[in-house]
Amino acid sequence: MSLLDTLKKLFRPPLLSAPTPPSPAPAGPAAEVCAPPPAPIACAARHRQVQCCDPHGLHRMAYTEWGDADNPRVLVCVHGLTRNGRDFDDLARALADHYRVVCPDVVGRGRSDWLGVKDDYGFPVYVADMVTLIARLDVEEVHWVGTSMGGIIGMILASQAGTPITRMVLNDVGPIITATSLRRIGQYVGRAPRFADFAAAEAYIREVGAPFGALSAAQWRHLTEYSIRAVDDTEGGFAMVYDPGLGDAFRSTPIVTDIDLWPVYDGVRCPTLALRGAESDLLEAATFAAMAGRGPRARTVEFAGVGHAPMLMDPAQIAVVRDFLLADGRPPGGLTSPG
C-alpha cells in the first residue's frame, strides 16, 4: 500500500473486524540501561500509557509527560516517522513551567505496542489514537508541535470541525510531501541492521540523521539511547526501537508523485507556525512560502544548516517555538526567515 493510499484511508476508515492481538512491545530502549542522570523533580519525566483501538483490536500507546500533572494547559508533541517522543526532551524541559507537556510514542515506535496487521499503520489509526490520548488527558483544547509525520497528524486533526488544537507548530512538513523525500526515507525505514554495540548504533543514527544538522556529542548520544533497544536472544546486540513493518507502506508501491495535502492545510484555522530546515528535501521552499498566504496563513521561520528535520534541541530553535506558543494574543503573521 502506498503512502498516498494510506492517507486516503483517513476518509474511508476500515470497519472493525475480528480482533488480532497486537505484537508485544519490544524490550525497553537502551536508555533504560544507560540513561542520563535524573532531571530535577520539577522537570522529571513521567511514563504513562493509554489503551487505543485499531481496526483489528486494541493496542497500548505509551507517552512521556512533563510539568505539573494538574496544569490544564497542555502541549502535545508528536515525532516523525521512525522517531519517538523522547526527541522532545529538551523542548519539554524548556516549556514544563508553562505546560503539561505530553510526548506520545506513536504506535509501532518507542515503548508503544507494535500492530499485528502492518497495513493498519497509517493516519486513520494515528489520528484516532491522538483523540483517545487527549480524552485521557481530560482537557478541552491543546497546543500542538508536530515534526514531519507528527505535523501531518496535527494538520489532519486541526482541519476537523470541533478540533481540540488551538495553536500548532508544523516542523518541516507542509501540504506537499515530495516523492524525493519519501524515496529517501524508504531506503532506510525498516531496514536498520542489528548493532553489535552502542557505538555502532550511534554511528548509524548519525548517518541517517545527518540532515538533523550540527548536533552535539551529547545530543547524538541522547537520540541513540532512545532509538535502540537491547535484543534478548542468542545474537544479542541492539536493534531500533520501532517496528520494521513500518517500511512496508514505502515498498509495496513505487512512489512516483508528490502527495498533495493542500485541502487539509486549507481547512486549518488555528494560529500556526511553520518551521523549515533550509536544506530540507521534504518541505520545498516554494511550498513553505505559500503556506504563509493560505489556510491558517502560517508564520514561517527557516533554520540555516539543517535539512529534514530540525530536532528542536538547539536553544535558538526552542526559543522560536516557545515564543510562538506563549504569544496567545498575537495573530499568525507573514514570512520571516532568520539565519
Side-chain angles (χ1 to χ4, degrees), residues 209-287:
F212 298 165
L215 304 183
S216 70
Q219 289 168 336
W220 283 119
R221 180 175 180 83
H222 174 87
L223 293 180
T224 304
E225 286 174 344
Y226 288 101
S227 295
I228 61 174
R229 58 187 173 88
V231 181
D232 185 17
D233 62 16
T234 55
E235 294 182 40
F238 298 92
M240 296 296 288
V241 68
Y242 70 80
D243 185 352
L246 296 176
D248 293 354
F250 285 89
R251 288 182 283 277
S252 60
T253 304
I255 299 170
V256 296
T257 60
D258 296 345
I259 293 174
D260 187 335
L261 297 177
W262 277 115
V264 175
Y265 181 79
D266 287 341
V268 175
R269 291 292 178 265
C270 66
T272 299
L273 169 67
L275 307 175
R276 179 177 185 265
E279 300 170 11
S280 176
D281 63 350
L282 188 141
L283 177 55
E284 293 185 327
T287 302

Side-chain angles (χ1 to χ4, degrees), residues 34-55:
C34 49
I41 295 299
C43 289
R46 301 183 298 275
H47 301 293
R48 309 217 186 263
Q49 62 185 39
V50 60
Q51 191 171 28
C52 302
C53 184
D54 60 72

Side-chain angles (χ1 to χ4, degrees), residues 22-110:
S23 301
E32 303 302 324
V33 178
C34 49
I41 295 299
C43 289
R46 301 183 298 275
H47 301 293
R48 309 217 186 263
Q49 62 185 39
V50 60
Q51 191 171 28
C52 302
C53 184
D54 60 72
H56 294 88
L58 301 174
H59 60 270
R60 178 185 59 91
M61 183 172 69
Y63 60 97
T64 304
E65 184 177 281
W66 307 77
D68 183 354
D70 295 323
N71 189 346
R73 193 173 197 182
V74 171
L75 173 65
V76 178
C77 301
V78 186
H79 58 80
L81 179 68
T82 63
R83 302 301 309 157
N84 61 77
R86 300 310 297 264
D87 285 359
F88 296 105
D89 281 11
D90 289 345
L91 181 67
R93 291 189 188 100
L95 288 166
D97 287 344
H98 301 277
Y99 289 99
R100 177 185 180 189
V101 185
V102 177
C103 307
D105 294 339
V106 177
V107 64
R109 292 88 166 167

Side-chain angles (χ1 to χ4, degrees), residues 1 9 22 143 202 219 237 268 272 293:
M1 177 181 296
K9 283 171 60 181
H143 288 182
E202 182 172 333
Q219 289 168 336
V268 175
T272 299

